[in-house]
């Protein structure tokens, strides 16, 4: 093999790319992982992991200049001093909006695996059946049983903490002990259970923070600092850096190349196979070709789709995978920012110890079993209870020694939760290329054209009303519902733009995540999703990636690729 | 169990856990952290005592206000953390021009009212007089308007924010524990005795 030749190329080093690199290299393939951004080395490069608010010039508040430079990021919480530099540069890599779309991207080794919220839930059986039963979009080409062993596999390695609940709506997995609920949450859980006769459950969240050490991976259990997105020096949560990358490197089969913007998949139209990829060196602008037998696209849903659109355009004007007419369509996310908060009386002699990186979860119960609503699908809640800190009622407390003493004591307990709802795959929710606007490397950028529709809007009413109803039923005070509006993308769970399906006419990928028109190209990030469920999706990307990688290696051995 | 015991206990179990994986020396480096020394350097940095948005006179007014809002008691107050310098810097870099104008206008007005009442600048006044003036301002009493009260509350919130996110505020006024090492969903409040600092507590 020449220096530019590998068995497999993995594009992107985030959650899914890390898994692809690990699985392919552990199965003996020589793998090249290409990442457009800079390298971030585990522990060594987590430069803010030990800082406190006072270490930042503006105590972690974004400056006006930062807001000017990051017009998208500033729309929500991600813009701050502590994670600054961990988000895609919006000037170098812009996109345009027919309709507002908030795209929160991490362009560096590890991708958003360093920044993610780590909530990790399995899809359930019904999630894979609903499209077909309801006549929505297309049927998934796989069922829960196809993925279940792969969920087991990735959960064991990643380390997911959670409790076994025996609920069909939220299948149990291979869990480490859960992160505990606090005293208020436990009581509220009991009251909700009673009030709703066991149909609604407030349970431990399931998350990729480990509660037991994983010495074989050099990872210590979570130390409860709640600074995960600065990078964890303990390896307390799953990221590419803490888990999949070291495993892949250990095989001696992986080469990681940062600053490598993959611009095209190279395609041989006679053989109907990809032959490799074209890369633009992000620093030198040099164009380089790398050859391989397999190509895994894990650049995150929209970037993998962009890459397909930019490839094989001499054969298909719309790019590789566009023959179905579905490439770039069916954008989904989870809609949220709606729920309720309430005050909790009592418990003033109680406090918590440690800062949890996750709170509680209430799995979906709408349109489940006998429940029927005037919309399809459902939602789950994420929330927590806590005592107010020094931020409480600053404006009301006067000035002087009393204010100072008052703010130094915790306030009363309060509780809040936000619902995450499923968005249906609508064909006209789409992204496409804008050839008028180019990024720093002269490449066309994406246009976003996505909105939520009647089904989601109807669901949002329940998402707010139900939260209030549960808090009322639990006897809480000052219950307040809220809907602070949602713009597509804010869920940071964008997906669906190169969906899996049962035939090449209505989908981009087959049941093994192979591009119908180029079976040695696998897309295993969020682009492949046929529907969204209402649970956070990354665990499912992990399982799909591991499954596809195992299949790809078998197929390669069988000489089919 | 006192907080201190709590912390020490957990620190020990943390070190044990870490030692298994990373070797004890590395672990103690982590716990010691470089954050602390960086912080010390920051707070004593005289480069931060450069006027940004405010005039010298406005800064003096703000300093007197900060001293009244969070005075020194058995713990340090806002002045000792250079909170007024922090607020000036924050106003300059994190606020838009409208908000900046709100801040400077109210600082000027406070000073003008003081001059009218006492024939002295606000910062030169007696503490009792200053306190009375700010109390009137917070309660929207004559000659202050609703807008003035709102402007004052913005400054007050900034002082409080600056103070409780300063090293002194976070470590002396509040319960500070960079690496708790574990989580307990219910401990007696008396074992902590104050609100926790910082973090993004869930
Ligand atoms: C704040 C936050 C909270 C979140 N919380 C959760 C949660 O609780 N649960 C959950 O399931 N999900 C959560 N997510 C979403 C989760 O991070 C993503 O679903 C996940 O990271 C997607 O994995 P990926 O591999 O597809 O993409 P990413 O992790 O985004 O990685 C993609 C990588 O590809 C690289 N790349 C892109 N284009 C190219 C190119 N042309 N050439 C080379 N490299 C390229 C990027 O630089 C990046 O490193 C959250 C995300 C954020 C930001
Ligand atoms: S909360 Fe746990 S996982 Fe997150 S940074 Fe802290 S120790 Fe690491």
């Amino acid at each position: 093999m020449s220096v530019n030749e590998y068995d497999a190329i993995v594009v992107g080093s985030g959650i899914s790319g890390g898994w692809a690199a690990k699985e392919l290299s552990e199965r003996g393939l020589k793998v090249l992982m290409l990442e457009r951004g800079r390298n971030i080395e585990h522990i060594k490069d987590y430069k803010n992991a030990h800082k406190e608010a006072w270490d930042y010039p503006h105590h972690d508040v974004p400056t006006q200049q930062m807001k000017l430079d990051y017009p998208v990021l500033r729309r929500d919480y991600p813009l701050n001093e502590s994670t600054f530099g961990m988000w895609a540069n919006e000037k170098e890599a812009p996109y345009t909006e027919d309709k507002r779309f908030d795209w929160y991207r991490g362009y560096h080794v590890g991708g958003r695996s360093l920044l993610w919220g780590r909530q990790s839930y399995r899809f359930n059986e019904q999630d894979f059946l609903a499209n077909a039963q309801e006549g929505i979009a297309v049927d998934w080409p796989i069922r829960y049983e196809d993925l279940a062993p792969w969920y087991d596999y990735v959960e064991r390695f990643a380390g997911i903490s959670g409790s076994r609940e025996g609920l069909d709506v939220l299948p149990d997995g291979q869990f480490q002990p859960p992160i505990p609920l606090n005293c208020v949450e436990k009581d509220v859980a009991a009251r909700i259970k009673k009030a709703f006769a066991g149909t609604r459950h407030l349970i431990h969240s399931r998350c990729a923070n480990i509660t037991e050490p994983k010495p074989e991976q050099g990872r210590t259990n979570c130390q409860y600092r709640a600074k995960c997105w600065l990078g964890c020096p303990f390896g307390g949560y799953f990221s590419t850096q803490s888990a999949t990358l070291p495993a892949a490197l250990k095989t001696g089969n992986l080469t990681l190349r940062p600053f490598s913007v993959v611009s095209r998949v190279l395609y041989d139209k006679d053989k109907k196979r990809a032959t490799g990829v074209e890369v633009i060196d992000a620093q030198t602008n040099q164009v380089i070709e790398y050859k391989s037998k397999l190509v895994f696209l894990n650049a995150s849903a929209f970037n993998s789709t962009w890459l397909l659109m930019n490839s094989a355009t001499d054969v298909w004007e719309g790019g590789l995978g566009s023959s179905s007419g579905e490439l770039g369509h069916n954008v989904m996310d989870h809609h949220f920012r709606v729920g309720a908060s309430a005050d909790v009386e009592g418990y003033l002699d109680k406090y918590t110890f440690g800062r949890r990186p996750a709170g509680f979860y209430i799995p979906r119960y709408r349109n489940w079993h006998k429940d029927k609503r005037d919309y399809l699908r459902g939602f789950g809640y994420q929330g927590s209870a806590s005592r107010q800190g020094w931020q409480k009622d600053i404006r009301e407390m006067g000035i002087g020694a009393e204010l100072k003493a008052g703010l130094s004591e915790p306030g009363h307990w309060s509780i809040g939760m936000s619902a995450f709802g499923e968005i249906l795959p609508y064909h006209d929710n789409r992204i496409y290329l804008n050839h008028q606007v180019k990024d720093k490397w002269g490449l066309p950028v994406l246009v976003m054209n996505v909105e939520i529709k009647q089904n989601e809007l109807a669901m949002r009413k329940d998402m707010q009303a139900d939260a209030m109803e549960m808090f009322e039923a639990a006897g809480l005070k000052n219950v307040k519902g809220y809907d602070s509006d949602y713009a597509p993308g804010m869920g940071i769970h964008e997906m669906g733009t190169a969906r899996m399906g049962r035939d090449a006419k209505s989908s981009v990928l087959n049941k093994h995540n192979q591009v119908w028109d180029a079976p040695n190209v696998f897309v295993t990030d969020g682009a492949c999703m046929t529907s969204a469920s209402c649970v956070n999706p990354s665990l499912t990307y992990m399982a799909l990636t591991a499954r596809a990688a195992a299949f790809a290696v078998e197929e390669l051995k069988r000489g089919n690729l | 169990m006192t907080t201190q015991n709590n912390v020490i206990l957990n620190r020990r179990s943390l070190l044990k856990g870490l030692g298994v994986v990373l070797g004890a020396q590395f672990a103690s480096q982590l716990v010691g952290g470089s954050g602390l020394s960086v912080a010390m350097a920051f707070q004593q940095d005289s480069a931060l005592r450069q006027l940004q948005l405010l005039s010298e006179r406005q800064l003096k007014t703000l300093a007197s206000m900060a001293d009244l809002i969070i005075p020194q008691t058995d713990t340090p107050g806002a002045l000792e953390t250079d909170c007024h310098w922090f607020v000036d810097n924050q106003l300059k870099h994190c606020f838009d021009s409208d908000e900046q104008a709100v801040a400077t206008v109210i600082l000027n007005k406070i000073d003008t009212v003081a001059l009218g009442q006492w024939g002295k600048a606000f910062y030169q006044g007696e503490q009792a007089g200053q306190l009375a003036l700010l109390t009137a301002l917070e309660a929207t009493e004559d000659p202050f308007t609703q807008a003035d009260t709102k402007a004052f509350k913005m400054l007050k919130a900034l002082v409080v924010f600056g103070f409780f996110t300063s090293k002194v505020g976070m470590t002396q006024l509040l319960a500070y524990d960079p690496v708790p090492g574990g989580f307990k969903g219910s401990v007696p409040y008396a074992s902590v005795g104050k609100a926790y600092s910082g973090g993004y507590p869930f």
Side-chain angles (χ1 to χ4, degrees):
Chain A
M1 278 196 283
S2 87
V3 279
N4 283 1
E5 233 176 293
Y6 294 84
D7 293 324
I9 287 172
V10 175
V11 182
S13 63
I15 291 184
S16 64
W19 271 100
K22 170 184 173 309
E23 295 304 307
L24 295 170
S25 62
E26 283 181 345
R27 285 177 162 77
L29 268 49
K30 293 283 176 206
V31 179
L32 172 66
M33 181 154 71
L34 296 166
E35 165 54 52
R36 65 176 296 150
R38 70 194 159 100
N39 196 7
I40 293 181
E41 272 189 55
H42 188 42
I43 302 179
K44 180 176 148 275
D45 290 338
Y46 301 152
K47 64 182 169 77
N48 290 340
H50 290 289
K51 288 189 187 162
E52 297 293 358
W54 70 71
D55 290 320
Y56 302 101
H58 307 94
H59 291 197
D60 210 14
V61 173
T63 62
Q64 293 296 107
Q65 188 59 47
M66 286 163 68
K67 290 182 201 164
L68 279 177
D69 291 342
Y70 289 83
V72 175
L73 215 52
R74 70 174 293 184
R75 295 173 186 173
D76 205 3
Y77 62 90
L79 188 65
N80 52 41
E81 287 184 305
S82 50
T83 60
F84 199 57
M86 300 280 288
W87 304 98
N89 184 317
E90 293 177 21
K91 284 199 174 130
E92 292 182 355
Y95 64 94
T96 57
E97 295 160 290
D98 286 343
K99 295 176 187 142
R100 174 177 166 183
F101 190 97
D102 296 6
W103 194 18
Y104 300 125
R105 303 165 283 170
Y107 285 178
H108 45 254
V109 170
R112 289 176 294 183
S113 78
L114 288 171
L115 295 157
W116 71 314
R118 307 161 309 282
Q119 296 281 319
S120 301
Y121 304 97
R122 292 184 179 205
F123 278 35
N124 62 40
E125 277 182 31
Q126 191 59 29
D127 286 327
F128 292 94
L129 295 167
N131 274 7
Q133 288 178 354
E134 295 162 355
I136 299 291
V138 295
D139 188 15
W140 277 89
I142 57 170
R143 296 290 177 243
Y144 178 74
E145 299 74 53
D146 295 308
L147 214 49
W150 295 101
Y151 275 130
D152 286 344
Y153 178 76
V154 296
E155 283 164 350
R156 279 201 193 93
F157 180 82
I160 308 295
S161 59
S163 54
R164 300 183 66 84
E165 302 285 343
L167 303 171
D168 52 3
V169 76
L170 196 74
D172 290 331
Q174 306 299 323
F175 299 141
Q176 290 199 347
I179 289 173
L181 298 176
N182 63 39
C183 48
V184 168
E185 294 162 349
K186 277 185 193 160
D187 288 356
V188 172
R191 289 185 226 161
I192 287 177
K193 189 169 180 185
K194 196 164 158 225
F196 295 91
T199 57
R200 300 187 192 180
H201 310 267
L202 188 157
I203 64 171
H204 302 268
S205 63
R206 296 173 178 175
C207 67
N209 292 74
I210 53 177
T211 50
E212 287 172 344
K214 281 186 161 292
E216 74 286 2
Q217 293 179 16
R219 296 170 59 192
T220 307
N221 46 302
C222 172
Q223 303 294 317
Y224 297 94
R225 308 157 65 239
K227 289 189 176 186
C228 307
W229 68 352
L230 308 182
C232 180
F234 306 97
Y237 73 96
F238 171 89
S239 65
T240 296
Q241 274 83 346
S242 73
T244 46
L245 182 59
L249 287 172
K250 203 155 82 186
T251 64
N253 289 330
L254 179 74
T255 306
L256 166 64
R257 191 181 195 283
F259 293 120
S260 306
V261 181
V262 179
S263 46
R264 266 185 324 133
V265 175
L266 303 170
Y267 184 71
D268 180 332
K269 59 177 177 253
D270 300 324
K271 294 198 180 115
K272 294 193 164 50
R273 296 285 187 277
T275 56
V277 300
E278 176 189 88
V279 165
I280 302 176
D281 187 296
Q283 294 175 298
T284 65
N285 289 337
Q286 194 193 353
V287 177
I288 313 161
E289 287 191 0
Y290 290 96
K291 302 279 176 196
S292 66
K293 297 170 197 151
L294 292 178
V295 176
F296 266 69
L297 298 189
N298 298 102
S300 78
F302 286 5
N303 282 312
S304 292
T305 305
W306 171 89
L307 198 46
L308 289 170
M309 289 174 174
N310 214 33
S311 304
T313 46
D314 53 334
V315 186
W316 301 278
E317 201 191 335
L320 185 60
S322 66
S323 60
S324 62
E326 295 298 334
L327 186 66
H329 291 267
N330 312 302
V331 173
M332 294 169 281
D333 182 29
H334 291 126
H335 64 110
F336 73 129
R337 289 161 60 86
V338 50
S341 65
D343 292 340
V344 184
E345 286 179 325
Y347 303 90
L348 292 179
D349 57 339
K350 298 204 165 52
Y351 211 8
T352 50
F353 175 80
R355 294 182 291 281
R356 275 180 309 173
F360 65 74
Y361 190 69
I362 298 180
R364 171 180 166 187
Y365 48 85
R366 284 300 182 197
N367 289 318
W368 197 255
H369 294 159
K370 288 192 188 119
D371 186 79
K372 285 281 168 292
R373 308 300 294 169
D374 61 354
Y375 53 85
L376 299 174
R377 318 284 166 102
F379 52 87
Y381 289 98
Q382 295 177 22
S384 63
S386 60
R387 286 189 82 162
Q388 293 181 304
W390 58 268
Q391 300 91 338
K392 61 180 184 279
D393 308 327
I394 297 177
R395 288 160 186 269
E396 308 312 321
M397 289 171 79
I399 60 173
E402 238 168 81
L403 170 75
K404 186 182 177 194
L407 295 178
S408 308
E409 284 169 12
H412 61 262
W413 288 83
S414 61
I415 190 166
M417 60 187 182
S418 177
F420 283 69
E422 179 162 356
I423 294 181
L424 294 175
Y426 303 104
H427 180 79
D428 58 353
N429 273 344
R430 64 172 189 134
I431 57 174
Y432 58 97
L433 290 187
N434 182 343
H435 287 282
Q436 272 68 58
V437 179
K438 302 278 162 82
D439 71 6
K440 188 187 173 193
W441 297 274
L443 299 163
V445 305
L446 283 175
V447 188
M448 315 294 190
N449 191 320
V450 182
E451 63 183 24
I452 54 171
K453 299 181 195 286
Q454 197 42 49
N455 199 65
E456 291 74 30
L457 293 171
M459 188 189 293
R460 285 182 86 76
K461 297 205 178 106
D462 267 6
M463 290 158 85
Q464 177 170 336
D466 285 12
M468 295 174 70
E469 180 192 26
M470 279 187 269
F471 284 164
E472 302 274 7
L476 307 180
K477 295 285 162 339
N478 196 17
V479 174
K480 286 197 186 115
Y482 69 89
D483 184 340
S484 31
D485 267 349
Y486 159 85
M490 289 184 115
I492 326 186
H493 297 159
E494 73 281 2
M495 59 175 115
T497 41
R499 72 180 175 204
M500 295 166 77
R502 293 180 179 270
D503 62 68
K505 289 212 180 67
S506 63
S507 61
V508 179
L509 309 172
N510 70 11
K511 65 178 175 186
H512 293 290
N513 299 72
Q514 296 168 283
V515 176
W516 288 106
D517 295 325
N520 64 340
V521 178
F522 292 76
V523 183
T524 68
D525 57 25
C528 75
M529 303 297 280
T530 313
S531 69
S533 176
C534 66
V535 299
N536 308 59
S538 306
L539 184 74
T540 300
Y541 306 164
M542 297 189 208
L544 285 167
T545 303
R547 176 177 175 270
F551 174 80
V553 175
E554 288 309 311
E555 281 289 278
L556 198 60
K557 282 192 194 141
R558 284 192 285 263
N560 290 340
L561 295 179
Chain B
M1 212 191 318
T2 67
T3 324
Q4 231 179 351
N5 280 341
N6 232 333
V7 171
I8 290 169
L9 251 182
N10 278 286
R11 194 60 43 73
R12 204 177 298 133
S13 59
L14 154 70
L15 285 173
K16 230 165 75 200
L18 274 177
V20 175
V21 180
L22 303 168
Q25 201 200 335
F26 181 69
S28 59
Q29 265 174 14
L30 277 181
V31 177
S34 57
L36 293 181
S37 50
V38 173
M40 295 301 292
F42 176 75
Q43 289 218 330
Q44 283 153 17
D45 193 347
S46 59
L48 280 156
R49 292 189 179 164
Q50 304 278 333
L51 285 173
Q52 300 288 332
L53 174 73
L54 304 181
S55 68
E56 197 160 328
R57 180 75 172 257
Q58 287 166 337
L59 187 83
K60 282 185 171 158
T61 308
L62 178 65
S64 305
M65 286 168 63
D67 193 29
L68 289 168
I69 293 168
I70 302 182
Q72 183 185 10
T73 50
D74 54 344
T75 49
L79 273 192
E80 284 126 298
T81 67
D82 272 355
C83 207
H84 47 307
W85 289 105
F86 170 81
V87 171
D88 180 32
N89 190 55
Q90 204 79 351
L91 282 169
K92 168 84 179 183
H93 297 287
C94 303
F95 288 77
D96 65 30
S97 49
D98 289 348
E99 295 162 324
Q100 291 173 342
V102 167
T104 50
V105 166
I106 190 62
L107 287 169
N108 291 344
K109 179 153 182 184
I110 290 169
D111 217 14
T112 314
V113 172
L115 264 176
Q117 289 185 357
W118 326 321
K120 276 193 254 183
F122 181 79
Y123 78 91
Q124 290 167 326
E126 305 285 325
Q127 266 221 346
Q130 291 174 331
L131 197 60
L133 198 156
L134 291 190
T135 310
L137 171 53
E138 189 156 35
T140 325
E141 282 163 19
D142 195 55
F144 295 109
T145 64
Q146 293 272 343
D148 294 338
T149 303
K150 226 176 127 200
F152 171 71
K153 289 192 175 181
M154 172 180 120
L155 283 182
K156 177 174 130 182
L158 257 176
V159 168
V160 166
F161 173 76
F163 181 72
F164 282 98
T165 51
S166 73
K167 184 168 183 240
V168 163
M170 284 182 71
T171 61
Q172 295 188 35
L173 272 286
L174 303 170
Y176 174 69
D177 189 355
V179 187
F183 179 81
K184 294 196 192 90
S186 178
V187 298
Y189 171 63
S191 72
V192 185
K194 35 186 167 175
Y196 285 119
S197 67
Y200 308 93
F202 279 92

